[in-house]
Amino acid sequence: MKKIMIMGLVLILLLGIAGCGNSDQTNSNDSSSDGQNSAANGVTNGGNTQQWPTDIGNIPEFTYGDIDRVEKASEMYDGVKFLEYHIYYTNIKDGAGDKYSSDLENAGFRESQPPMENESSINGVTTIEYGHDIFTFETEDTIYNINVDHWINSDNNGAVNIDIPVNPEGGGSMDNNNTEGSDEVVDSDTGDNDSSGFNWNTLSDSEIPKDYPHDIVPIVGVDGGDILGASRQEMGGMGVSYVIVFGVNDSVANVSDKIGKELKQNASNAGGTFNSLSNQVFMGKIDNYEYTVAIGDGKADGYTTTVDYTVIHLAE
C-alpha cells in the first residue's frame, strides 16, 4: 500500500475533534483525587513506582528533577486502547520546562500548545503547562497522536503526563526499531529507517484544489513532479484543510533545501512564522493559515522523494 509520512497540523486538529486529549494536568498534585477519577472512568491502575517507565518507546525521559511517583493506567476510547502515564516530580531544576520541550522537539514531537502560565488565586503558586504530540497511526475514521504534556510550578514540583494510543492492527508506534506490522521506508540519502503513516490513496482528488491559497503558502520545490493525491476538507466549523502530495524525482536533500529556503523567505516577507524539524518538516503560521510541509523518501511510491503540503485555513 502506497504511503507517505505526514506531520501536518491537520492531524492535531482532527485528533482534537476526536476528543483524545489529556485533562489531568490541573489536578496532578492530588493523588487521591486522581485515583477516584480513574476509577470513575473505568481505568485500570497499574500501580505506583519511582522509575521512568521502560515500556514507552522512544519518548525522551524527563531528567530535570526527582521522581516522586509514577502512575500507569489504561482506558478504551472508541475501540482503541490508551495507555496513560503520570510521572510526578519534586526538586525540579530551573529552566526544566523549556529544556524538556527541546528534548521532545529533537525527538520529532511538535508543540501542540504554547506554554501557558497560570497563578493560583488561593496560594499564589504559578504553574506553567506545556503540550507536545507526535503522529503515531491512523484508522479509517481517525488519526491518533501520542500526547506528552508536562507542567512545572513555582514550588519546583511538576509532572509529565503521557497518553499513548495502541494501534489495534499492530505496528505504527514511534519506536524506530523494526516492529512487526509497521511500514518501513529507508531514506535513500541517509539510509535511516523512516516509518510512513499516511495513506495518500485516501486523497480522492488528482489536482490542486481550486481555492488553495497560493498567495499565502506557495507550492515550491515540486517542479516536474506529479500529484499523487489531493483533498479539500471542511473541518466541522474549525476551518478548511488542504492536503496535496507530490512525487518528485530529485533527492530528499535537494528538495528539502529548496522548499525550506523559499518557505522561510515567504514567511518572513508575509510577517508569519517558520520552524524546521530535522530539515525535512517545515511548519508555521501566516495570518489565519497554518502550514506544514513534510518531505520524505519516495522509493516505495516510484519516486525519489515525496512531498506533502498541508495547509489549514482557520475559521475566523
Side-chain angles (χ1 to χ4, degrees):
M1 181 178 293
K2 296 179 180 178
K3 294 190 174 183
I4 178 178
M5 174 189 73
I6 177 175
M7 298 180 66
L9 294 169
V10 65
L11 305 183
I12 298 173
L13 293 181
L14 289 175
L15 181 65
I17 294 171
C20 297
N22 186 319
S23 58
D24 292 321
Q25 288 182 337
T26 55
N27 295 318
S28 295
N29 279 324
D30 187 345
S31 60
S32 60
S33 172
D34 192 56
Q36 291 172 359
N37 290 338
S38 295
N41 287 301
V43 175
T44 301
N45 197 312
N48 299 339
T49 68
Q50 289 182 301
Q51 295 181 338
W52 181 264
T54 59
D55 56 348
I56 57 175
N58 292 337
I59 297 174
E61 180 177 355
F62 185 98
T63 59
Y64 306 104
D66 299 327
I67 294 180
D68 180 59
R69 69 186 188 280
V70 178
E71 298 176 357
K72 177 181 177 180
S74 63
E75 189 165 3
M76 297 293 294
Y77 294 95
D78 297 329
V80 174
K81 181 180 180 180
F82 281 78
L83 300 178
E84 302 177 1
Y85 300 82
H86 308 286
I87 304 108
Y88 300 95
Y89 286 85
T90 59
N91 302 320
I92 295 177
K93 301 175 183 177
D94 292 343
D98 291 338
K99 291 177 181 177
Y100 188 57
S101 291
S102 179
D103 292 343
L104 290 168
E105 289 165 12
N106 288 337
F109 284 78
R110 71 176 65 245
E111 186 180 72
S112 57
Q113 68 172 46
M116 299 174 60
E117 182 172 328
N118 300 290
E119 181 177 351
S120 171
S121 60
I122 299 175
N123 56 20
V125 173
T126 299
T127 301
I128 302 178
E129 301 177 358
Y130 304 78
H132 292 79
D133 61 18
I134 191 171
F135 171 77
T136 181
F137 69 90
E138 64 171 331
T139 64
E140 291 184 358
D141 302 316
T142 309
I143 296 171
Y144 292 89
N145 288 351
I146 294 173
N147 293 285
V148 179
D149 303 329
H150 62 289
W151 61 266
I152 298 171
N153 66 25
S154 54
D155 287 339
N156 296 325
N157 298 318
V160 177
N161 300 312
I162 302 171
D163 283 351
I164 302 178
V166 179
N167 190 343
E169 298 181 358
S173 73
M174 68 168 290
D175 192 336
N176 289 329
N177 294 328
N178 187 10
T179 304
E180 182 179 356
S182 65
D183 292 310
E184 183 179 273
V185 177
V186 178
D187 189 301
S188 59
D189 290 330
T190 65
D192 294 336
N193 291 339
D194 181 23
S195 294
S196 297
F198 189 82
N199 181 5
W200 59 258
N201 280 329
T202 62
L203 305 178
S204 59
D205 296 337
S206 58
E207 59 183 15
I208 299 173
K210 289 183 172 54
D211 61 345
Y212 177 86
H214 291 276
D215 55 332
I216 304 294
V217 185
I219 295 175
V220 296
V222 295
D223 296 341
D226 297 321
I227 295 177
L228 304 182
S231 74
R232 178 191 186 279
Q233 183 177 357
E234 298 283 346
M235 300 181 62
M238 298 179 66
V240 180
S241 71
Y242 304 86
V243 181
I244 309 108
V245 180
F246 297 87
V248 182
N249 286 319
D250 195 1
S251 70
V252 170
N254 287 344
V255 173
S256 297
D257 183 63
K258 179 178 178 59
I259 292 177
K261 287 180 179 177
E262 296 201 29
L263 286 181
K264 184 176 182 179
Q265 185 62 53
N266 177 72
S268 177
N269 293 340
T273 62
F274 172 89
N275 295 287
S276 172
L277 293 178
S278 303
N279 294 320
Q280 287 183 221
V281 179
F282 309 112
M283 63 185 68
K285 184 175 181 180
I286 300 174
D287 294 333
N288 216 36
Y289 293 82
E290 293 180 343
Y291 66 89
T292 300
V293 180
I295 302 102
D297 183 90
K299 182 167 54 180
D301 301 313
Y303 294 86
T304 306
T305 302
T306 47
V307 180
D308 178 288
Y309 274 80
T310 298
V311 177
I312 299 171
H313 185 194
L314 300 172
E316 299 181 10

